[in-house]
Amino acid sequence: LNHFVRACTLRHLRAGLRVPSAQMSIALSKNGWMRKNHKGSHFATKNELRYFVSEGFHVKYYKDFKKDAPTGLTGKFDLRNVKALGPCSDPDVKRGLAVEIKGKPNALVVSFDDAPNEADAWIKLWTSAVAGANVHTSLKASRDEELALEFNATVADMATLRRTRL
């Protein structure tokens, strides 16, 4: 069914028609546990395990997950406010992303080391949501232009998340 919905959505996009937000594809959402750091210190010195929820352009992260729902919101950001998305250069992170957010002095470092099988899906999702000009050249191959069109057609009306940290 999801493949059918996405195929219909893409036909609408190619025809220049808007798709209602209620039809947001599962392809625009992802959640799971990842480690993060954005205090400017080395990852090995300070990092926190957080439950990330990415829905459309909104990304929120939580301290815990209880009774089928995330709890303890600790931060959030809007993928439309990402000024640079690139590979993590911290030597203590095998595979991760550095997310530079407008108005924040330090990049958010996200590590996929605890769930390496999920890395490609996260990278594809976020590189497709962030403006193409803001995606590092080494990650351009992960960007899915049809998925980027789907983001813009189905969730462009989402209110922008203004605060990046609680």
Side-chain angles (χ1 to χ4, degrees), residues 36 38 50-53 59-63 72-77 161 163-166:
K36 66 103 185 157
H38 64 93
R50 294 291 184 250
Y51 190 80
F52 279 75
V53 177
V59 178
K60 297 178 181 179
Y61 43 97
Y62 301 83
K63 283 186 180 181
L73 181 67
T74 61
K76 59 186 177 177
F77 64 95
L161 287 177
R163 291 181 7 180
T164 59
R165 184 166 161 78
L166 300 176

Side-chain angles (χ1 to χ4, degrees), residues 63-95:
K63 283 186 180 181
D64 210 348
F65 189 92
K66 295 179 181 175
K67 298 182 182 178
D68 299 326
T71 60
L73 181 67
T74 61
K76 59 186 177 177
F77 64 95
D78 193 304
L79 289 163
R80 293 169 290 194
N81 290 333
V82 172
K83 62 182 182 181
L85 180 67
C88 175
S89 61
D90 189 305
D92 296 310
V93 177
K94 292 177 188 159
R95 189 158 184 215

Side-chain angles (χ1 to χ4, degrees), residues 33-159:
W33 291 99
M34 294 187 283
R35 293 193 179 276
K36 66 103 185 157
N37 171 337
H38 64 93
K39 303 286 187 202
S41 60
H42 291 287
F43 203 83
T45 306
K46 175 97 169 115
N47 68 74
E48 299 164 329
L49 184 63
R50 294 291 184 250
Y51 190 80
F52 279 75
V53 177
S54 189
E55 292 179 331
F57 291 112
H58 296 174
V59 178
K60 297 178 181 179
Y61 43 97
Y62 301 83
K63 283 186 180 181
D64 210 348
F65 189 92
K66 295 179 181 175
K67 298 182 182 178
D68 299 326
T71 60
L73 181 67
T74 61
K76 59 186 177 177
F77 64 95
D78 193 304
L79 289 163
R80 293 169 290 194
N81 290 333
V82 172
K83 62 182 182 181
L85 180 67
C88 175
S89 61
D90 189 305
D92 296 310
V93 177
K94 292 177 188 159
R95 189 158 184 215
L97 291 174
V99 184
E100 293 182 35
I101 303 163
K102 292 175 188 170
K104 294 308 244 178
N106 297 314
L108 170 69
V109 174
V110 178
S111 169
F112 305 115
D113 294 350
D114 289 333
N117 295 337
E118 297 293 318
D120 289 338
W122 280 104
I123 293 169
K124 177 182 176 179
L125 182 68
W126 286 0
T127 58
S128 301
V130 170
N134 299 346
V135 176
H136 190 271
T137 54
S138 67
L139 296 175
K140 295 277 187 186
S142 298
R143 183 175 165 84
D144 181 328
E145 293 302 327
E146 287 189 346
L147 187 56
L149 283 172
E150 189 174 347
F151 266 104
N152 290 324
T154 60
V155 294
D157 295 339
M158 288 181 101

